[in-house]
């Protein structure tokens, strides 16, 4: 049993299953696949899973990660100043993070809405969490980072 890592037939629950260790959570499916198994018991939702379900979730997360990295690199932070008080740095940064997550999620949802349940519901918060991990855990800081 590997609970809250793979959700057979569904995207992960919000914020990458509320994980507190995103690098470890990202590695867990590959680690699980190193074991011989036919049936995956995820502990939630509508059915037992298979090795194929683990692979499908890896594919979803890989696309989400690629789009999150792309959004960090390409999102125009100038666009957020139109919707927030430019004298409020927290409002600016929050709007930036929300915009980056929205850009990443918008690129992913169309590919997954008919493949995994909940893609329309949880891809945005999953993108947000992955963007924060890419920034904090992997140093992909985007325009708000210090660039020597």
């Amino acid at each position: 049993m590997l609970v809250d890592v793979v959700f057979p037939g569904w995207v992960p629950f919000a914020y990458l299953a509320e994980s507190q260790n995103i690098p470890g959570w990202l590695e867990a499916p590959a680690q699980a696949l190193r074991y011989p198994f036919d049936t995956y018991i995820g502990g939630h939702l509508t059915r037992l899973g298979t090795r194929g379900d683990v692979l499908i979730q890896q594919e979803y997360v890989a696309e989400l990660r690629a789009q999150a990295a792309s959004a960090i690199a390409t999102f125009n932070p100038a666009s957020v100043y139109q919707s927030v008080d430019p004298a409020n740095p927290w409002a600016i940064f929050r709007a930036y993070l929300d915009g980056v997550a929205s850009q990443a999620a918008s690129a992913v949802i169309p590919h997954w809405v008919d493949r995994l349940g909940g893609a329309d519901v949880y891809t945005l918060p999953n993108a947000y969490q992955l963007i924060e991990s890419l920034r904090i855990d992997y140093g992909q800081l985007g325009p708000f980072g210090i660039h020597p």
Side-chain angles (χ1 to χ4, degrees), residues 40-55:
Y40 172 82
I41 302 171
H44 293 291
L45 296 169
T46 58
R47 65 178 175 82
L48 297 175
T50 65
R51 295 181 75 79
D53 289 308
V54 178
L55 294 168

Side-chain angles (χ1 to χ4, degrees), residues 67-125:
Q67 290 298 335
S70 176
I72 290 170
T74 63
F75 182 80
N76 179 6
S79 67
V80 303
Y81 290 93
Q82 301 163 3
S83 63
V84 298
D85 176 0
N88 183 341
W90 281 137
I92 293 166
F93 196 59
R94 175 59 192 256
Y96 164 77
L97 292 174
D98 288 346
V100 173
S102 180
Q103 181 176 315
S106 293
V108 171
I109 291 169
H111 303 142
W112 291 94
V113 74
D114 293 326
R115 284 187 74 191
L116 290 176
D120 56 333
V121 177
Y122 284 130
T123 297
L124 180 59

Side-chain angles (χ1 to χ4, degrees), residues 25-41:
W25 186 89
L26 293 170
E27 172 58 27
Q31 187 176 17
L33 288 169
R34 291 194 285 269
Y35 291 93
F37 69 91
D38 295 318
T39 302
Y40 172 82
I41 302 171

